[in-house]
Amino acid sequence: DRVAIAEQVEDPKKAKGLVKREVVRVVTPGTLINSNLLSEKSNNFFAALAQVGQVIGLAFLDLTTGEFFVSEFTHERDLLNEIYRLHPAEFLTSEKFKAKHTGLFEEIRQTYPFLINCQADWHFEHQTAYDFLIQHFKVYNLDGFGLRGMVAAINAAGALLRYLQEALCLPIHQIQEIRAYSTSHFMALDRMTQRN
């Protein structure tokens, strides 16, 4: 599920014994960017989940296109419907979230295979996530992206970007914006069409 790409960092002629190498990036299902390995028409999303109180924040990113979105859910069923629509190849979550929502991941696994990564809970703390995002986007706050008050979504998004950069050694400079959206108006339309 994971492939580490290493490069020689010293001249083989000068090396005593083995040539020193360093990992330059880690390739995982959610970070594939080679179009030969991906369907041209579908996104390859890497998703992160974080919870604050009753609210679950979902952040998802396609490294190929730079699309970066967040949303929030108060019902696990609505979250599952969105996950099935997006079909993320990989998830990032906290150890606490995974332990609390084992049923969620078991249900998704019955539909399709994915990779799940857990990080310590502090990676999802609000100040840590918020600070990482405002530094990355070079802004004073996240209100301009429509993220005002979206604590759970911000926690998921900040943890995800940081994980890609620090744990997987991936460049994230091409990710220029993050967009918040709501699925509730889609669901309201669905309910109306079901009534008719």
Side-chain angles (χ1 to χ4, degrees):
D1 279 339
R2 288 166 172 264
V3 177
I5 297 173
E7 287 181 358
Q8 291 180 355
V9 290
E10 66 178 342
D11 187 341
K13 294 185 187 87
K14 295 175 184 161
K16 291 181 173 71
L18 290 173
V19 178
K20 192 177 175 195
R21 296 172 188 270
E22 281 178 12
V23 172
V24 290
R25 75 165 282 205
V26 180
V27 181
T28 63
T31 63
L32 280 177
I33 48 177
N34 182 338
S35 59
N36 298 336
L37 301 170
L38 297 169
S39 156
E40 288 295 323
K41 291 183 182 69
S42 66
N43 286 93
N44 188 43
F45 287 123
F46 195 132
L49 294 161
Q51 185 165 12
V52 177
Q54 297 304 304
V55 180
I56 298 173
L58 167 70
F60 56 95
L61 172 67
D62 184 329
L63 275 170
T64 312
T65 62
E67 292 171 84
F68 193 19
F69 292 97
V70 292
S71 195
E72 290 186 337
F73 301 86
T74 48
H75 300 289
E76 206 173 84
R77 179 54 47 197
D78 296 338
L79 170 67
L80 264 171
N81 288 339
E82 191 60 1
I83 287 169
Y84 290 144
R85 186 180 78 80
L86 299 167
H87 227 268
E90 191 163 357
F91 290 91
L92 173 71
T93 190
S94 68
E95 287 155 359
K96 189 170 155 187
F97 185 94
K98 189 183 175 199
K100 192 176 174 184
H101 296 277
T102 49
L104 176 85
F105 293 110
E106 282 167 12
E107 190 168 334
I108 300 165
R109 204 171 293 285
Q110 287 171 7
T111 310
Y112 73 94
F114 59 87
L115 183 65
I116 186 163
N117 310 278
C118 282
Q119 280 205 303
D121 298 339
W122 68 265
H123 289 277
F124 294 82
E125 283 173 3
H126 188 63
Q127 205 57 53
T128 307
Y130 193 91
D131 289 348
F132 190 86
L133 289 173
I134 61 171
Q135 284 164 14
H136 173 75
F137 291 115
K138 298 177 179 64
V139 291
Y140 292 110
N141 62 51
L142 300 171
D143 298 357
F145 296 116
L147 271 68
R148 182 194 289 260
M150 296 182 75
V151 178
I154 288 167
N155 297 359
L160 178 57
L161 263 198
R162 188 174 171 179
Y163 178 79
L164 293 171
Q165 185 180 60
E166 294 180 4
L168 301 184
C169 311
L170 289 165
I172 56 170
H173 57 83
Q174 75 281 17
I175 299 148
Q176 298 292 318
E177 67 172 339
I178 180 171
R179 284 189 282 182
Y181 74 101
S182 166
T183 57
S184 58
H185 59 280
F186 300 129
M187 288 179 242
L189 285 171
D190 288 346
R191 280 197 285 274
M192 281 172 68
T193 52
Q194 282 163 7
R195 272 194 218 112
N196 295 342

